[in-house]
């Protein structure tokens, strides 16, 4: 059996799960079981798809039996299947985290119960975008995930969330309109929107028309990927959402935009003369983003700016148009999805345990919760690119590719990448020193719960001395809140901690298995730049593969 023929299930299963969880909206326990179960099944299916193309190969599935380029086609190759597996693994961890948070807070009832069907619709949209073989189906995938994200961002209906949601909606609509106009222009110029067919027909257009279409698509995808200067909306939108929503947005939504850029740049516009502007954009994205991060006192806003900054690394790898650069970018995308999501989940735990995500109000968390300190420290060092973590390996691959390219702009990007990595280390080190390492009384505006902990410990010591038998009774179950005076000490539910720990372990696993992953990334990059496997998988073995356009980078 050809496993690639099961690819549509990666979209169908989450949609089916959304329908079932909507029916079960008044049965929270069954709703949670269905959503987690079906997303786990989707992840298993995607792991099988990745295994089927692990050593190379590209397969296409024609929906409804329509022959390309007329029908909808889904394409499974190493890049798309790797993105499916990483995105679903991260989505599952966030879903378990959100479920644990809802159970701890007593949020099982409607309207919060709409979280499960909406979340699964978001996953379906992401999967559809990764598998899409034509521009309009890619647009549909974007619209599915964006429509779901509008709902998730405004859950709770608070003023800041509504305001951020309005900004997010306006920017997303503008991006989608630009994308739709670009699709119409592409169809008008070529008579097709199938990407394999476009790879042939776009090369036949004059350079002016080709460049116009290229710029339109780049701007549309650049807004979604949050590259500078199109990233203004992200730092004000993401931090206002609930912790699980912010985490999945940071991990996935911008990466779908990056994926679309990679797919169209390598398949539709290979070796194009816009590589130089892309490298400039990559450098500005890295530097401006990390400078914004250094100015933040709120951890969620700081991470939002680092998210923007590190998109620049991926655009850098793409803009080099070389196997080494693109392979490093593919590896870095998988790394960043995992690490950035981990850090946002940890920030949710910090906010829950310490009462705030502002470093001006946090202190002493390392003593208060050593496990929480470890959960922050590992992905933070990974994000900063400290050896031997996967962040270091991905950045090293990008630096080597830049030096190998040897142009002045490539050297400038290598220097900018190293500087950005050092400033990222400075940003996360400041969070560590202020939120975890210093004493609670040294915080500028300490949360009362942090000041209550030393008093609570002293009270427990006194209680043990006066009445040793009563000491066991002071322990609390996860999710409960022992009280000292009027201040509750907030503990962390095991489900939230466990899912975060699982994602941190996955980030470490990317380091342990970096060799095989880089091998897959190298093969994926070579296949994308060659294009023949993709075009012939969709259009048949006899389909012609056009030569690269002039003005591109080295292969």
């Amino acid at each position: 059996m050809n496993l690639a023929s099961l690819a549509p299930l990666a979209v169908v299963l989450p949609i089916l799960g959304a329908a079932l969880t909507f029916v079960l909206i008044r049965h929270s326990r069954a709703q949670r079981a269905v959503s987690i179960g079906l997303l786990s099944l989707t992840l298993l299916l995607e792991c099988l798809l990745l295994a089927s193309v692990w050593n190379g190969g590209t397969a296409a599935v024609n929906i409804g039996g329509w022959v390309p380029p007329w029908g909808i086609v889904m394409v499974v190759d190493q890049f798309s299947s790797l993105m499916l597996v990483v995105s679903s693994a991260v989505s599952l961890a966030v879903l378990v985290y959100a479920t644990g948070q809802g159970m701890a807070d007593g949020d099982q009832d409607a309207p919060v119960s709409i979280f499960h069907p909406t979340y699964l619709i978001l996953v379906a949209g992401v999967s559809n975008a990764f598998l899409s073989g034509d521009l309009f189906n890619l647009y549909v995938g974007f619209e599915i995930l964006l429509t779901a994200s509008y709902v998730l961002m405004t859950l709770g209906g608070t003023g800041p969330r509504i305001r951020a949601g309005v900004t997010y909606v306006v920017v997303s609509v503008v991006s989608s309109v630009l994308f739709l106009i670009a699709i119409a222009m592409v169809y008008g110029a070529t008579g097709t929107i199938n990407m394999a067919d476009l790879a042939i027909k776009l090369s036949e257009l004059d350079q002016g028309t080709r460049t116009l279409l290229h710029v339109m698509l780049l701007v549309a995808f650049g807004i979604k990927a949050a590259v500078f200067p199109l990233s203004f909306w992200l730092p004000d939108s993401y931090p206002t959402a609930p912790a699980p929503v912010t985490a999945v947005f940071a991990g996935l939504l911008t990466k779908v935009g990056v994926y679309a850029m990679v797919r169209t740049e390598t398949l539709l516009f290979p070796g194009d003369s816009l590589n130089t502007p892309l490298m400039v954009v990559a450098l500005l994205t890295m530097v401006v983003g990390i400078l914004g991060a250094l100015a933040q006192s709120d951890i969620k806003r700081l991470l939002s700016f680092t998210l923007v900054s590190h998109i620049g690394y991926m655009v850098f790898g793409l803009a080099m148009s070389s196997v080494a650069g693109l392979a490093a970018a593919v590896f870095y995308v998988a790394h960043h999805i995992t690490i950035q999501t981990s850090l946002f989940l940890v920030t949710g735990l910090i906010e829950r345990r310490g009462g705030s995500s502002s470093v001006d109000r946090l202190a002493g968390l390392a003593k208060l919760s050593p496990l929480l300190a470890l959960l922050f420290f590992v992905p933070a060092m990974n994000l900063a690119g400290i050896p031997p973590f996967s962040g270091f390996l991905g950045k090293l691959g990008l630096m080597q590719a830049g030096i190998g390219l040897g142009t002045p702009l490539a050297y400038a990007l290598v220097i900018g990448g190293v500087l950005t990595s050092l400033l990222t280390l400075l940003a996360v080190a400041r969070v560590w020193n202020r939120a975890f390492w210093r004493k609670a009384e040294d915080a500028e505006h300490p949360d009362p719960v942090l000041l209550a902990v030393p008093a609570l410990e002293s009270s427990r010591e006194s209680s043990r001395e006066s009445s040793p038998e009563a000491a066991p009774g002071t322990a609390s179950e996860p999710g409960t809140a022992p009280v000292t005076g009027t201040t509750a000490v907030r503990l962390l539910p095991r489900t939230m901690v466990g899912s975060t720990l699982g994602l941190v372990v996955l980030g470490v696993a990317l380091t342990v298995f970096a060799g095989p992953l880089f091998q897959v990334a190298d093969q994926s990059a070579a296949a994308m730049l060659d294009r023949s496997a993709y075009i012939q998988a969709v259009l048949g073995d006899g389909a012609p593969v056009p030569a690269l356009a002039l003005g591109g980078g080295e292969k």
Side-chain angles (χ1 to χ4, degrees):
M1 179 182 178
N2 183 10
L3 289 175
S5 63
L6 300 178
L9 290 177
V11 180
V12 172
L13 286 176
I15 292 177
L16 177 62
L20 288 175
T21 53
F22 189 78
V23 170
L24 298 170
I25 199 166
R26 298 189 182 279
H27 305 278
S28 57
R29 183 173 298 179
Q31 190 184 53
R32 294 193 298 268
V34 168
S35 58
I36 293 175
L38 278 177
L39 191 50
S40 300
L41 183 60
T42 303
L43 176 59
L44 176 60
L45 168 69
E46 291 165 349
C47 288
L48 293 176
L49 291 176
L50 177 59
S52 69
V53 297
W54 183 266
N55 294 317
T58 302
V61 181
N62 300 321
I63 306 299
W66 287 85
V67 178
W70 309 113
I72 296 174
V73 61
M74 290 186 170
V75 184
V76 180
D77 61 4
Q78 289 170 310
F79 186 35
S80 62
S81 56
L82 177 62
M83 292 300 99
L84 283 173
V85 170
V86 174
S87 64
S88 289
V90 165
S91 299
L92 180 60
V94 173
L95 180 60
V96 174
Y97 180 101
T99 299
Q101 178 175 307
M103 292 173 64
D105 295 341
D107 288 339
Q108 298 97 325
D109 299 327
V112 178
S113 294
I114 66 171
F115 170 83
H116 291 273
T118 309
Y119 188 85
L120 290 173
I121 289 293
L122 177 78
V123 174
V126 171
S127 299
N128 188 72
F130 286 149
L131 289 169
S132 177
D134 65 83
L135 288 179
F136 188 76
N137 199 37
L138 178 61
Y139 170 81
V140 170
F142 273 121
E143 291 308 295
I144 291 172
L145 69 90
L146 289 174
T147 302
S149 67
Y150 302 154
V151 178
L152 292 174
M153 178 167 284
T154 55
L155 280 179
T158 62
R161 290 179 185 175
I162 297 297
R163 285 192 295 272
V166 169
T167 301
Y168 179 71
V169 167
V170 170
V171 172
S172 298
V173 168
V174 169
S175 173
S176 296
V177 169
L178 286 175
F179 187 17
L180 197 58
I181 292 172
I183 291 173
M185 293 172 64
V186 167
Y187 186 77
T190 63
T192 184
I193 53 174
N194 181 282
M195 287 196 278
D197 200 25
L198 283 172
I200 299 171
K201 293 183 177 179
L202 282 172
S203 62
E204 301 170 357
L205 298 178
D206 64 90
Q207 187 60 38
T209 303
R210 177 186 168 90
T211 301
L212 176 61
L213 298 176
H214 190 179
V215 170
M216 289 287 291
L217 289 173
L218 267 183
V219 171
F221 297 148
I223 295 174
K224 297 181 186 299
V227 300
F228 182 84
L230 306 173
S231 56
F232 63 91
W233 56 272
L234 191 149
D236 291 326
S237 298
Y238 283 11
T240 60
V245 174
T246 302
V248 77
F249 281 14
L252 294 184
L253 297 196
T254 53
K255 307 313 181 301
V256 178
V258 172
Y259 174 88
M261 290 178 68
V262 171
R263 186 63 79 186
T264 54
E265 288 297 302
T266 56
L267 184 61
L268 306 186
F269 306 101
D272 201 279
S273 57
L274 290 184
N275 283 343
T276 297
L278 270 179
M279 295 182 92
V280 174
V281 166
L283 179 60
L284 291 174
T285 302
M286 285 191 286
V287 175
V288 173
I290 197 59
L291 291 178
L294 289 173
Q296 305 306 313
S297 61
D298 184 89
I299 302 175
K300 289 190 289 188
R301 284 186 61 83
L302 183 149
L303 290 176
S304 295
F305 275 100
T306 63
L307 167 62
V308 171
S309 177
H310 287 238
I311 294 295
Y313 285 106
M314 306 167 205
V315 179
F316 175 29
L318 170 63
M320 284 187 279
S321 290
S322 65
V323 171
L326 187 57
V330 169
F331 181 87
Y332 202 81
V333 170
H335 146 83
H336 198 257
I337 289 174
T338 307
I339 300 307
Q340 196 76 47
T341 307
S342 301
L343 284 169
F344 272 103
L345 290 186
V346 173
T347 303
L349 296 178
I350 291 173
E351 195 170 22
R352 189 180 187 89
R353 192 70 173 93
S356 175
S357 61
S358 171
V359 292
D360 293 336
R361 297 176 60 85
L362 294 171
L365 289 177
K367 182 178 181 180
L368 181 64
S369 179
L371 177 58
L372 183 58
L374 180 65
L375 290 177
F376 175 83
F377 184 80
V378 173
M381 294 300 101
N382 205 334
L383 182 71
I386 299 300
F389 289 118
S390 57
F392 169 77
L393 298 176
K395 290 172 185 174
L396 180 62
L398 288 167
M399 302 306 117
Q400 289 175 334
I403 293 172
L405 191 58
T407 64
L409 187 53
Y411 282 122
L413 271 159
V414 169
I415 295 171
V418 173
L419 177 63
T420 299
S421 187
L422 292 174
L423 293 178
T424 301
L425 177 60
L426 175 62
V428 296
R430 286 176 58 194
V431 173
W432 171 263
N433 288 333
R434 300 183 69 188
F436 289 89
W437 206 242
R438 64 178 174 174
K439 296 179 180 179
E441 55 268 24
D442 293 336
E444 289 85 350
H445 308 287
D447 189 279
V449 70
L450 298 176
L451 298 177
V453 172
L456 179 62
E457 292 177 346
S458 299
S459 175
R460 286 177 174 173
E461 290 297 327
S462 301
S463 178
R464 290 191 186 99
E465 292 175 2
S466 61
S467 179
E469 302 83 7
T474 61
S476 301
E477 294 297 323
T480 63
V483 176
T484 300
T486 60
T487 304
V489 178
R490 296 175 283 269
L491 300 183
L492 302 176
R494 291 192 184 96
T495 305
M496 297 173 68
V497 174
S499 57
T500 306
L501 178 61
L503 208 51
V504 171
V505 170
L506 178 60
V508 174
L510 293 179
T511 303
V512 176
F513 299 103
L517 285 174
F518 253 116
Q519 180 182 358
V520 170
D522 282 330
Q523 294 174 356
S524 174
M528 284 191 287
L529 291 173
D530 179 70
R531 302 192 296 166
S532 59
Y534 190 102
I535 294 173
Q536 292 172 358
V538 176
L539 301 179
D541 293 336
V545 179
L548 293 179
L550 298 176
E554 298 175 3
K555 288 183 73 177

